Amino acid sequence: MKILVAVKRVVDYNVKVRVKSDQSGVDLANVKMAMNPFCEIAVEEAVRLKEAGKASDILVVCIGPAAAQEQLRTALALGADRAMLIEAETGMDSLNVARLLAAVAERESPDLLILGKQAIDSDNNQTGQMLAALLGRPQGTFASAIEVQEGSIEVTREVDGGLSTQRLTLPAVVTTDLRLNEPRYASLPNIMKAKRKPLETLSPDDLGVTLKAHSQLLRVETPAPRQGGIKVGSVDELLDKLRNEAKVLGGES
Ligand code: AMP
């Protein structure tokens, strides 16, 4: 079985992001970048399937700047076999990303496509769904467990009040939730080995995809600063403030 995993380069989750003064986006200058955490879970799941003898080839794909090779090398060190970088500007909308991934899927014919449920920078939560629609393939979103069978995959999802398990015919698209697995760290020998694994660089043109302006980012704003709290002297004073200042309680009954 061949697996395609999509990994995105994002601002490291420990970084406190700064919005640019012209509100055109987040300042990425000198900011630590990393693989999107949900994509790390996607890579880990693919590697576990390979270790269990259920997958033979893991291709990791990233759409991003040349520097995204760093995240692809990390994925290779974690156990992926091959990497593909589609060079493009940061901040591309999800439909363009999905169209590029669909073009790679047409070329590579993977049996399973694993994506993160969302990228922690844009919080879009839509690329996997769009990709499944473009390919006309079933999708299992927010997977917290998967089990590959002959020609199909069972995907367990956390839903209100319990778990729901569905069977999808392969090829299928799965997006990862937090509890699917706990990703490993890359060992030093594997980091060294990853340097010799194949990493192909393509352009959208090479895949026959013309990017379109489907949507436009208008502005990014920081949340309004939180006001300091106060201490109230009594329950009556608290009720009075909730009623008359915060206006979250109705009038006296
Ligand atoms: P999103 O829909 O943007 O929240 O992203 C969901 C998932 O789509 C991510 O976890 C990745 O698996 C994939 N994805 C989004 N953007 C990219 C990208 N530029 N390159 C590769 N994969 C991506």
Side-chain angles (χ1 to χ4, degrees):
M1 183 172 79
K2 196 166 169 178
I3 306 181
L4 185 159
V5 182
V7 300
K8 186 175 185 190
R9 173 182 166 91
V10 297
V11 172
D12 186 278
Y13 72 94
N14 291 304
V15 172
K16 191 169 183 319
V17 292
R18 287 183 315 268
V19 172
K20 289 186 193 166
S21 53
D22 64 0
Q23 298 191 328
S24 63
V26 167
D27 193 357
L28 296 181
N30 302 318
V31 167
K32 183 169 185 260
M33 305 295 283
M35 193 192 305
N36 181 46
F38 292 106
C39 302
E40 282 182 1
I41 296 173
V43 173
E44 175 68 31
E45 200 61 23
V47 173
R48 288 186 189 192
L49 286 172
K50 187 165 179 196
E51 288 170 344
K54 296 196 168 164
S56 50
D57 180 32
I58 304 171
L59 168 66
V60 281
V61 183
C62 180
I63 295 139
Q69 287 188 21
E70 196 190 332
Q71 281 65 47
L72 288 171
R73 289 282 172 211
T74 302
L76 292 171
L78 291 170
D81 298 294
R82 305 180 286 134
M84 184 187 287
L85 173 66
I86 303 165
E87 267 199 78
E89 281 178 26
T90 310
M92 183 181 293
D93 71 42
S94 301
L95 187 50
N96 277 321
V97 173
R99 290 172 60 228
L100 288 166
L101 292 173
V104 177
E106 301 290 353
R107 199 173 114 152
E108 295 280 342
S109 307
D111 303 286
L112 179 62
L113 300 97
I114 314 181
L115 291 84
K117 75 165 177 183
Q118 90 194 57
I120 60 163
D121 54 355
S122 58
D123 278 342
N124 282 351
N125 175 7
Q126 53 192 14
T127 309
Q129 293 89 327
M130 288 175 167
L131 176 60
L134 289 173
L135 294 174
R137 294 292 172 190
Q139 58 179 298
T141 52
F142 312 140
S144 58
I146 63 173
E147 201 186 309
V148 173
Q149 290 154 352
E150 193 58 44
S152 67
I153 182 170
E154 276 190 13
V155 179
T156 301
R157 316 171 64 235
E158 287 174 16
V159 293
D160 248 4
L163 298 174
S164 139
T165 301
Q166 60 194 63
R167 180 175 294 128
L168 313 176
T169 309
L170 294 175
V173 175
V174 168
T175 70
T176 61
D177 211 339
L178 206 56
R179 272 183 280 275
L180 182 57
N181 61 49
E182 216 172 287
R184 70 195 68 189
Y185 293 98
S187 66
L188 193 58
N190 285 346
I191 293 172
M192 303 308 287
K193 258 195 244 161
K195 294 186 180 171
R196 293 190 300 276
K197 290 187 177 176
L199 192 161
E200 187 181 9
T201 301
L202 297 175
S203 69
D205 276 353
D206 294 332
L207 292 165
V209 175
T210 307
L211 303 177
K212 296 187 189 149
H214 308 100
S215 69
Q216 191 190 354
L217 179 67
L218 297 181
R219 65 187 164 276
V220 178
E221 294 165 57
T222 37
R226 285 177 66 164
Q227 297 189 341
I230 56 156
K231 268 193 176 169
V232 290
S234 66
V235 172
D236 283 346
E237 192 187 343
L238 173 65
L239 289 174
D240 178 64
K241 285 192 182 301
L242 291 174
R243 224 170 251 135
N244 302 315
E245 287 180 25
K247 298 198 190 311
V248 292
L249 288 185
E252 298 210 25
S253 51

